Amino acid sequence: MTEHSRIDTSVAHPARRYDYLLGGKDNFEADRQSAHEIEKRHPTARLSAQENRFFMHRAVRFMTGRGIRQFLDIGTGIPTSPNTHEIAQESDPSARIVYVDNDPLVLVHARALLTGTEAGRTTYIEADLRDPRQILSDQELKNTLDLGEPVGLLLIAVLHFIRDDDDPVAILNTLIDALPSGSYLAASNATPEYMPAEQVAALRAVMERQWRDRTGPELRALFDRPDVELVAPGVQSVARWWEQDAPQPRPAVESVAANGLVARIVH
């Protein structure tokens, strides 16, 4: 069975919906309709998607500035330049990146676009964040990353698809336990904090069981371990995290319904 034959175009997928909100063309009618329903309830959804990307850019540059040369990017979505490997390999052409997503369409594009530099290595795993052991045991990951050396773990705009009954803390603990001391992680999650209650209710209704928005304290609680040290300024709107390094002018936090954090892992 080819990747194309496994793509169900009749059901919206988060990666393709995100691609559409970012202005991409690798999406289908179901993805666009789903995005339009979200935009009716969150008119600045495109801005939120873009600010998540900008946050990822800043987080990767932050990590490369602290010596991180290998990255595990889970929930990467359809390639949108600049990607993690492009940013990391600007700093060091030998940087290595493993991308992970559960949409077969991402794999199709990843093979064509995520080529990396001659010195570095970039690969893609089709897997789901809900099964972190599958990710960690994948031979492509083992061939690309050295888990004896610090890794940058990226969980950008993906945790809100992990519901409470998926046991997000157990998922994250499995990943964090596998990373050596000196690693970093960056995560973002949709938040209801800056929205009126009726808007939050409307968004939750349209997203049905796909969605678990989290407040800043709820996002922080997912990483409540003594060996996970938040980097200042801690949990912030993705529009405000290291905002001096972001495109200007900065949007209002009320327009960007996501919080982000960066943390250092010190076992």
Side-chain angles (χ1 to χ4, degrees), residues 56-71 83-93 95-97 151-152 154 184 262:
M56 182 273 284
H57 298 167
R58 299 197 297 282
V60 172
R61 291 190 177 103
F62 172 86
M63 292 180 193
T64 59
R66 278 135 190 90
I68 300 297
R69 294 296 180 265
Q70 48 182 3
F71 292 85
N83 290 290
T84 301
H85 72 280
E86 293 171 310
I87 296 170
Q89 290 172 353
E90 281 178 5
S91 176
D92 186 340
R96 290 161 289 156
I97 294 86
V151 174
L154 303 177
Y184 283 86
V262 174

Side-chain angles (χ1 to χ4, degrees), residues 142-156:
K142 294 179 180 179
N143 292 343
T144 306
L145 304 182
D146 177 1
L147 295 185
E149 297 293 330
V151 174
L153 172 62
L154 303 177
L155 300 164
I156 307 300

Side-chain angles (χ1 to χ4, degrees), residues 31-172:
D31 308 307
R32 295 188 284 272
Q33 287 299 325
S34 177
H36 293 157
E37 290 301 314
I38 291 172
E39 287 184 289
K40 287 178 185 176
R41 295 153 179 83
H42 178 38
T44 54
R46 291 173 187 263
L47 178 62
S48 291
Q50 187 62 70
E51 286 297 321
N52 267 289
R53 290 293 293 185
F54 288 156
F55 169 66
M56 182 273 284
H57 298 167
R58 299 197 297 282
V60 172
R61 291 190 177 103
F62 172 86
M63 292 180 193
T64 59
R66 278 135 190 90
I68 300 297
R69 294 296 180 265
Q70 48 182 3
F71 292 85
L72 177 56
D73 186 343
I74 303 178
T76 180
I78 292 167
T80 303
S81 188
N83 290 290
T84 301
H85 72 280
E86 293 171 310
I87 296 170
Q89 290 172 353
E90 281 178 5
S91 176
D92 186 340
S94 67
R96 290 161 289 156
I97 294 86
V98 172
Y99 291 100
V100 182
D101 204 283
N102 65 356
D103 183 359
L105 185 63
V106 176
L107 176 57
V108 174
H109 289 278
R111 284 176 172 163
L113 299 176
L114 301 181
T115 55
T117 64
E118 186 174 343
R121 181 182 171 101
T122 302
T123 193
Y124 170 84
I125 300 171
E126 185 182 337
D128 196 304
L129 175 57
R130 295 175 186 85
D131 190 354
R133 288 183 176 83
Q134 179 192 351
I135 296 171
L136 293 167
S137 64
D138 192 280
Q139 193 59 49
E140 282 292 326
L141 183 145
K142 294 179 180 179
N143 292 343
T144 306
L145 304 182
D146 177 1
L147 295 185
E149 297 293 330
V151 174
L153 172 62
L154 303 177
L155 300 164
I156 307 300
V158 66
L159 288 177
H160 41 245
F161 298 111
I162 304 299
R163 304 184 307 264
D164 291 345
D165 56 3
D166 293 318
D167 201 349
V169 171
I171 291 170
L172 294 170

